[in-house]
Amino acid sequence: MLFAFNFGYSQVNNIVLDNGFTFIHSEKKKIGLVSVNLFVKGGAAIETDKEAGITNLTCAMLTKDTANRTSEKIAIESELLGATISAGCSNDFSEVSMIVPSDNFVSAFDIFADVVNNPTFPEKEFEKEKTRTTAAIKSKSDHIFTVAYNEFNELIFKNHPYHKPVEGYEATVSPLTASLISDNYRKHFKTANMVLCIVGDVDFETAKKLVEKYFGSIEIIGTTEKTKKEQLKIELPKQSKKIYTGKFQQSYIFSGFLAPDINQKEYATLKVINAVLGGGMGSRLFDMLREKSGLVYEGDSFYPSRKETSDFVLYAGTSKENVGTVEQIFIDEIKKLTEISEDELKNTKEYLKGTYLLDHRTIQRQSWYLGWWETMGMGYEYDQKYLKDIDAVSISDIKTAC
């Protein structure tokens, strides 16, 4: 299948190979660089609680030894070509990315495909990576924001996979073995789960031939994406509260509620609402909590884009005696959202659109967004439609959502 649409000055092409592998391409002439982003649907959300962190560790191991190259050879060959290859994961997907000068794209893509298709997960490298991961998990206990946010996620998502930190827990990472990591890779890194996006100074036919060469011959094994019926339904009582007493002198408060996922019609409306509350130094929370009252040293809101149920969160760092006051301000500011004016709505939309466009300045981010929208279920075309949906949000939409 082949589709195309215009995004500004560029052409975007999309093909789906017979084995389910999705390839998206956009040529940017005379810039001298190519960005490659491979998304693997699933991410940490498909883990069980007992194996929390296994996807993160699997991704960390991809750039180690392959069937054709040692980790040292991968590093040396990549450096000689001016290429940077990295891997990681989030709740909803795993990712392998590369940026390389266009003259070296063909040679670098051979290394990239080798990393994706042929990792060997050597025992020695695995033990080193596991030690680094567990050390990083331990160190996060020294960061009040991370501790508070993790506690909030454990509360609001309860039995849903989103409650787990992507890196897992020390108790679940420590028992992992190289064999388990290898099994996890074979189970989830399948062509039917993959979306590859290439943006930069390489023509479509050249990129397409390479994609077909390295990924087209891989047999269909199946998909691990959860269907709607398999997705867990999560519910909270009308009020749910948890107080965590730790070693910190300061206090952090997280307050929020479950919210629509990225595929729901309210998504754009809640993005606007989030910008009204926490959209930088001109936001309501900044004005009320910092400028007018001086109650907090940090305060904001965020609404993560998630493939399944999301959450809408307000947070602040403050002194222990001010927690109750800050919590009441959160409640008051949510209620005041119905009082938004046309001018404030217009300014908020301009802020959202401006930051979104600024984040598209590099080919790395252009490539990432096209692949990300496709992976999240909205389709790569939504990279263009998103701004239109933001523009269409009305005061009536905001009042309905509140």
Side-chain angles (χ1 to χ4, degrees):
M1 294 182 289
L2 175 63
F3 306 94
F5 78 102
N6 288 319
F7 180 61
Y9 58 88
S10 62
Q11 179 85 4
V12 179
N13 300 297
N14 175 46
I15 63 171
V16 179
L17 305 183
D18 291 340
N19 59 11
F21 186 90
T22 298
F23 169 48
I24 301 169
H25 170 269
S26 179
E27 183 177 3
K28 306 282 184 180
K29 296 181 180 179
K30 299 180 180 180
I31 64 171
L33 291 171
V34 179
S35 179
V36 182
N37 292 82
L38 176 78
F39 293 84
V40 183
K41 300 174 184 178
I46 58 178
E47 302 168 345
T48 66
D49 283 3
K50 292 182 179 180
E51 61 183 10
I54 192 171
T55 306
N56 179 66
L57 199 49
T58 301
C59 291
M61 288 295 297
L62 291 177
T63 53
K64 310 303 178 184
D65 292 18
T66 71
N68 304 301
R69 295 173 172 89
T70 63
S71 57
E72 183 179 8
K73 189 175 182 181
I74 292 171
I76 292 173
E77 287 187 13
S78 299
E79 184 177 353
L80 289 174
L81 294 171
T84 301
I85 301 174
S86 59
C89 80
S90 70
N91 282 294
D92 293 313
F93 57 86
S94 301
E95 181 183 1
V96 186
S97 60
M98 179 177 73
I99 183 74
V100 62
S102 54
D103 289 344
N104 299 331
F105 170 69
V106 174
S107 297
F109 196 78
D110 180 80
I111 305 173
F112 178 86
D114 193 25
V115 165
V116 174
N117 292 333
N118 306 304
T120 56
F121 307 106
E123 186 73 35
K124 186 176 180 180
E125 290 288 350
F126 168 76
E127 290 300 331
K128 289 180 182 178
E129 194 60 45
K130 186 169 74 169
T131 298
R132 282 192 288 266
T133 300
T134 53
I137 292 172
K138 289 179 181 178
S139 71
K140 288 189 176 183
S141 65
D142 294 326
H143 301 278
I144 186 172
F145 178 93
T146 302
V147 172
Y149 187 41
N150 285 345
E151 290 291 332
F152 177 80
N153 283 332
E154 296 285 1
L155 175 65
I156 195 166
F157 287 115
K158 290 192 171 180
N159 66 332
H160 189 280
Y162 285 161
H163 80 89
K164 308 185 304 291
V166 169
E167 66 274 11
Y169 311 98
E170 185 181 356
T172 58
V173 172
S174 294
L176 293 176
T177 64
S179 177
L180 289 172
I181 294 295
S182 180
D183 290 344
N184 183 66
Y185 166 82
R186 287 194 296 269
K187 184 178 179 181
H188 301 302
F189 274 64
K190 303 173 181 178
T191 54
N193 292 341
M194 293 181 175
V195 175
L196 178 69
C197 193
I198 298 178
V199 174
D201 200 354
V202 58
D203 64 87
F204 175 63
E205 287 302 321
T206 298
K208 178 174 174 284
K209 287 179 181 178
L210 284 173
V211 169
E212 291 175 334
K213 174 183 176 181
Y214 289 104
F215 295 99
S217 61
I218 300 174
E219 295 180 2
I220 299 175
I221 305 175
T223 179
T224 59
E225 267 210 290
K226 289 187 284 186
T227 65
K228 290 294 181 181
K229 291 182 180 179
E230 293 173 320
Q231 291 177 0
L232 294 174
K233 300 297 181 181
I234 54 176
E235 296 180 358
L236 279 179
K238 291 184 178 180
Q239 291 187 337
S240 186
K241 192 171 185 178
K242 181 178 181 180
I243 298 175
Y244 173 82
T245 303
K247 59 186 176 181
F248 305 103
Q249 295 301 312
Q250 314 97 322
S251 291
Y252 245 88
I253 175 173
F254 276 78
S255 180
F257 49 87
L258 296 176
D261 61 62
I262 195 172
N263 295 283
Q264 303 303 310
K265 62 180 181 180
E266 300 90 353
Y267 174 71
T269 300
L270 283 169
K271 282 297 182 183
V272 172
I273 290 174
N274 178 60
V276 170
L277 284 173
M281 297 179 66
S283 70
R284 292 187 178 189
L285 286 178
F286 183 89
D287 182 57
M288 181 59 67
L289 294 173
R290 288 285 301 273
E291 295 295 295
K292 291 183 178 178
S293 65
L295 287 170
V296 306
Y297 57 86
E298 182 181 15
D300 209 340
S301 67
F302 57 89
Y303 167 49
S305 299
R306 298 189 189 274
K307 197 165 186 178
E308 298 182 21
T309 301
S310 186
D311 55 346
F312 193 102
V313 185
L314 295 80
Y315 72 92
T318 186
S319 60
K320 293 180 180 179
E321 60 268 21
N322 288 329
V323 169
T325 303
V326 172
E327 184 177 12
Q328 187 58 51
I329 290 175
F330 284 169
I331 295 171
D332 293 342
E333 290 303 314
I334 289 290
K335 291 178 180 178
K336 291 177 184 178
L337 283 168
T338 57
E339 302 171 7
I340 188 171
S341 67
E342 288 288 355
D343 283 344
E344 185 178 16
L345 178 58
K346 179 181 178 182
N347 291 336
T348 300
K349 289 179 180 179
E350 292 303 313
Y351 167 81
L352 267 179
K353 292 187 292 183
T355 53
Y356 188 77
L357 291 172
L358 282 173
D359 203 24
H360 280 68
R361 286 177 297 179
T362 66
I363 60 167
Q364 295 101 314
R365 295 303 289 168
Q366 292 168 24
S367 174
W368 186 88
Y369 271 110
L370 287 172
W372 179 71
W373 285 120
E374 180 73 21
T375 302
M376 296 296 282
M378 298 295 286
Y380 63 94
E381 304 97 333
Y382 197 70
D383 193 35
Q384 183 181 27
K385 188 174 182 295
Y386 173 70
L387 296 180
K388 296 178 181 179
D389 283 356
I390 292 296
D391 248 340
V393 174
S394 66
I395 290 178
S396 176
D397 292 329
I398 292 175
K399 289 182 177 180
T400 299
C402 294

